[in-house]
Amino acid sequence: MNNNGENDTTIICSRCGAEMKASARYCMKCGNLNPNHPDNRAMLKYMPNIQSYYVQSNGKIDYLNNNSSEEKVANNGGSNTICFFVNYLIYVFLIILSFVFASKIFYTPQALFLLISSIVFLYIYSLEKMYMKMNKKWWLVFIPFYNSYVLSDAVLGSGLLSLLLLIPVVGAIFNVILIYNLGKKFGKNGFLTVIFTFILIPIIGLGESSFEGLKITIDDASLERNYKYKRIFFYTILIVGIFSLGLIIYNNLGNNFDKFKVTDNYPYIGNDMRK
């Protein structure tokens, strides 16, 4: 405590890693609000996803959050490192495989396969990260039916409701309800989550959104490693995806370039345009 009775403990912002005094209202580096500051308490119900701060003492990480007694720890999602390498290695293996079995280098089916693989793996990896935020094992995403059971249990409080997905029409309606509530649980707009599911899921999984009532305890080194894994995975998929899309466009529109020729220094299109 200082002379004014304020807490001068040094705390660390879990968003950017900057150090600051516990008496500060927000992080000067990234603007993340300090949820323990008295002037910020009233804002917590409108900003549920404020990143927590932590202070390290005696080798332990103690998190400073919004002091909610209902908040629980999400530490049962599995290893971020194993999750990253399993997905990344499979993705790289498919890229190599596409070149090994290609009838010729950089042809359209190969490029299309790479593009679809990039989209699918980005979505799957995002789902796994989302499950971890819900305190569920990331590998549950790969188990048919049970993954829906786990998702329904976390979002709606009953895994048995997932059986409704097996009923025609009713299953489609239930899926909309499930996705709507999933978005709400992560502090997103439910309707937008339903309409733009394939966009919002990666934002939820790879972004900073947290599941309602849960926080993830992680030390600074693991936090930085987790960010690095997500960056590597995202940028690899982005580069391969853009490259594949470019090949598809070139291979399909490039044939039109054959119509443009130069004869005796006179360009013509199709028929000879010289007069």
Side-chain angles (χ1 to χ4, degrees):
M1 304 288 286
N2 58 21
N3 295 332
N4 297 324
E6 297 177 332
N7 188 354
D8 275 344
T9 303
T10 298
I11 59 178
I12 303 174
C13 176
S14 62
R15 176 189 289 175
C16 68
E19 295 184 1
M20 57 182 282
K21 297 297 183 182
S23 58
R25 185 175 180 180
Y26 58 88
C27 175
M28 294 295 292
K29 184 176 180 180
C30 68
N32 183 34
L33 292 178
N34 180 0
N36 277 328
H37 195 282
D39 294 341
N40 294 337
R41 296 288 174 83
M43 301 176 64
L44 293 178
K45 61 181 178 180
Y46 303 107
M47 304 178 68
N49 294 322
I50 294 178
Q51 297 290 307
S52 60
Y53 288 82
Y54 59 86
V55 55
Q56 186 169 6
S57 60
N58 299 325
K60 296 180 64 177
I61 299 296
D62 298 319
Y63 275 75
L64 306 176
N65 47 54
N66 60 9
N67 295 326
S68 171
S69 58
E70 298 179 356
E71 195 171 49
K72 299 179 181 179
V73 176
N75 57 2
N76 193 42
S79 171
N80 277 303
T81 301
I82 295 177
C83 176
F84 166 76
F85 279 104
V86 167
N87 287 274
Y88 196 77
L89 291 178
I90 293 176
Y91 178 61
V92 172
F93 174 75
L94 288 178
I95 293 177
I96 297 174
L97 205 63
S98 68
F99 284 98
V100 171
F101 289 97
S103 59
K104 61 179 180 179
I105 301 299
F106 303 146
Y107 73 132
T108 299
Q110 177 197 23
L112 185 61
F113 174 78
L114 290 176
L115 180 61
I116 295 176
S117 298
S118 299
I119 296 174
V120 170
F121 267 85
L122 177 63
Y123 190 75
I124 290 177
Y125 187 61
S126 301
L127 280 176
E128 293 168 2
K129 304 299 289 185
M130 185 185 75
Y131 268 55
M132 295 178 73
K133 290 183 177 182
M134 295 189 299
N135 205 26
K136 308 299 181 182
K137 299 293 187 184
W138 61 268
W139 45 264
L140 291 176
V141 172
F142 296 103
I143 303 179
F145 302 110
Y146 187 64
N147 52 13
S148 300
Y149 177 92
V150 171
L151 184 62
S152 178
D153 180 61
V155 175
L156 300 177
S158 174
L160 293 177
L161 289 175
S162 62
L163 295 176
L164 294 175
L165 292 171
L166 303 176
I167 305 176
V169 182
V170 175
I173 297 175
F174 175 75
N175 188 56
V176 171
I177 296 175
L178 182 63
I179 296 175
Y180 174 87
N181 284 276
L182 174 66
K184 299 288 287 185
K185 287 286 186 178
F186 278 99
K188 304 299 182 183
N189 185 289
F191 291 107
L192 291 180
T193 307
V194 172
I195 298 173
F196 303 105
T197 303
F198 287 97
I199 298 177
L200 266 294
I201 292 298
I203 291 176
I204 290 174
L206 302 180
E208 297 181 351
S209 302
S210 59
F211 193 68
E212 183 180 83
L214 286 175
K215 64 176 181 177
I216 299 179
T217 56
I218 186 172
D219 56 59
D220 194 40
S222 298
L223 184 67
E224 179 60 30
R225 186 165 59 249
N226 185 31
Y227 283 147
K228 181 177 69 174
Y229 289 155
K230 289 191 292 187
R231 285 196 300 267
I232 293 174
F233 202 94
F234 177 77
Y235 285 123
T236 301
I237 284 181
L238 182 63
I239 292 172
V240 174
I242 293 177
F243 177 73
S244 302
L245 184 61
L247 284 177
I248 293 174
I249 295 175
Y250 176 79
N251 289 337
N252 287 274
L253 298 183
N255 294 329
N256 294 326
F257 298 150
D258 293 337
K259 300 177 181 179
F260 294 84
K261 299 180 181 179
V262 176
T263 303
D264 297 333
N265 296 323
Y266 289 92
Y268 73 94
I269 303 176
N271 297 323
D272 195 341
M273 300 298 293
R274 290 177 296 175
K275 295 182 180 180

